Amino acid sequence: MATFFGEVLSVYSRAVEEDDDDLDDENEDEQIHREIEEKREVHIAWCPEVAQSLEDSGSNKLQCSDLIIAVGTNAAGFLSAYVLNTESWDAVGHVSLWNERSRGSSRQSIALLPGEPACLFYRHRDNPAVLVCQSTCYIAEDQLFQWTEKVFGCLQKRGLSVMVLSDSPVAEYKTPDYLYGSAVPFLRSLKSSASESQALCPALEQPNILTGLPAAVLSHCQVHQIPAVLYQCYTDVISPDSITMETYKPALLCLSKLVKLEPCLSADVLRKFAIITEAQSNLYT
């Protein structure tokens, strides 16, 4: 551009500079988004023996006839007290993930800190086709699909059956009738269409719905035609307690057909996995 005196000036455009700034911002946003996705990725770490079995299988899948998943502290405590209470089980792996409520389980190594919320896998020595998964860590909504795809991606679907035990607050249970304190805790069940087994408790009534990992697992089994049954325990106690754990005892009828269980369990053993407290209302706590 020339001035009145013939001086040539360079043309300055604010629009060009703003376009460059917008492009830089977009690239920075994409990088941040990519880093967050990588940080929130779900990983499975197997012990060396299982990792070798996956490599040797050719299909990179484990032979598994039964997968038992416990979601929540009481469901996990029930399996610890009634099923994993013998030396016949080996810890074979865990799921590692990171989110806003599970910040300590992002390591991909086998070693976990004592008491750390986690998602652990156990395998029976005499019947290695039986796997138990205890999940006590929070799994975010955007990580549920990853969890199911990666866990079930390691297992052969042919001949696989799934049982899910899940904790849920009774406040989420919808019913037109008043629930008396003596009726809590209680079990409800839900099955995939491929399951032909008889449920051990009443079915979950409408309009109640499942959420979280139990819903993701049952949905995956429904889509892939895997026989699955879920037992949801509705309780008014948020911390582990023996009464809530014992509510899952009907499931022992099915579990006893898979592995050998201890003939009886004393209250002293159960106290190792539960916090025994006086019955109290959670209304003001």
Side-chain angles (χ1 to χ4, degrees):
M1 182 179 67
T3 67
F4 178 77
F5 300 102
E7 181 182 2
V8 179
L9 300 177
S10 59
V11 178
Y12 171 79
S13 175
R14 180 183 296 178
V16 173
E17 183 174 298
E18 289 179 349
D19 290 343
D20 292 340
D21 291 341
D22 292 341
L23 184 59
D24 292 339
D25 291 340
E26 289 180 4
N27 292 335
E28 185 177 356
D29 291 342
E30 290 180 0
Q31 182 178 355
I32 293 174
H33 185 70
R34 188 161 49 248
E35 291 175 354
I36 292 176
E37 284 186 342
E38 292 176 357
K39 192 172 185 178
R40 297 178 71 89
E41 188 174 354
V42 176
H43 302 275
I44 301 181
W46 297 106
C47 70
E49 181 181 353
V50 173
Q52 187 63 46
S53 299
L54 285 169
E55 292 182 6
D56 296 341
S57 65
S59 61
N60 208 33
K61 296 182 183 295
L62 290 174
Q63 291 280 354
C64 183
S65 61
D66 295 272
L67 174 63
I68 301 101
I69 303 174
V71 183
T73 54
N74 283 300
F78 166 78
L79 288 185
S80 294
Y82 288 94
V83 180
L84 302 173
N85 59 339
T86 67
E87 297 181 355
S88 301
W89 297 88
D90 294 319
V92 294
H94 80 277
V95 173
S96 61
L97 54 88
W98 181 95
N99 56 55
E100 291 76 9
R101 291 170 56 181
S102 296
R103 295 178 179 273
S105 56
S106 59
R107 297 184 311 277
Q108 299 181 36
S109 61
I110 284 293
L112 292 170
L113 298 177
E116 177 182 341
C119 185
L120 305 174
F121 289 91
Y122 298 87
R123 187 169 66 173
H124 199 270
R125 294 178 184 175
D126 299 330
N127 189 0
V130 176
L131 282 178
V132 166
C133 173
Q134 289 181 308
S135 179
T136 57
C137 66
Y138 172 75
I139 303 174
E141 185 176 351
D142 62 310
Q143 296 173 319
L144 294 172
F145 180 77
Q146 288 188 63
W147 194 100
T148 55
E149 287 294 308
K150 293 192 175 183
V151 170
F152 284 95
C154 295
L155 308 176
Q156 286 196 357
K157 293 181 176 63
R158 179 176 296 180
L160 174 63
S161 295
V162 178
M163 176 187 290
V164 183
L165 308 177
S166 172
D167 300 342
S168 182
V170 71
E172 295 183 0
Y173 182 73
K174 298 177 178 63
T175 176
D177 303 321
Y178 176 76
L179 285 176
Y180 295 93
S182 59
V184 180
F186 58 91
L187 278 183
R188 289 295 183 266
S189 65
L190 202 60
K191 302 191 299 181
S192 66
S193 58
S195 176
E196 299 179 355
S197 61
Q198 183 69 30
L200 304 174
C201 66
L204 183 64
E205 307 92 342
Q206 293 183 350
N208 291 285
I209 60 173
L210 298 177
T211 58
L213 184 59
V217 170
L218 203 61
S219 297
H220 181 93
C221 293
Q222 178 68 23
V223 170
H224 295 276
Q225 292 297 302
I226 300 173
V229 58
L230 177 139
Y231 295 104
Q232 184 126 307
C233 178
Y234 290 94
T235 179
D236 57 352
V237 180
I238 59 175
S239 60
D241 82 300
S242 58
I243 296 177
T244 302
M245 290 182 190
E246 288 181 342
T247 308
Y248 289 108
K249 288 182 72 174
L252 293 176
L253 181 63
C254 297
L255 296 174
S256 62
K257 299 177 182 179
L258 305 178
V259 294
K260 184 179 179 180
L261 303 177
E262 290 296 319
C264 61
L265 185 68
S266 66
D268 293 336
V269 175
L270 193 58
R271 288 192 187 99
K272 296 180 181 179
F273 310 101
I275 300 173
I276 308 300
T277 56
E278 295 182 358
Q280 60 178 348
S281 171
N282 289 325
L283 183 59
Y284 301 106
T285 58

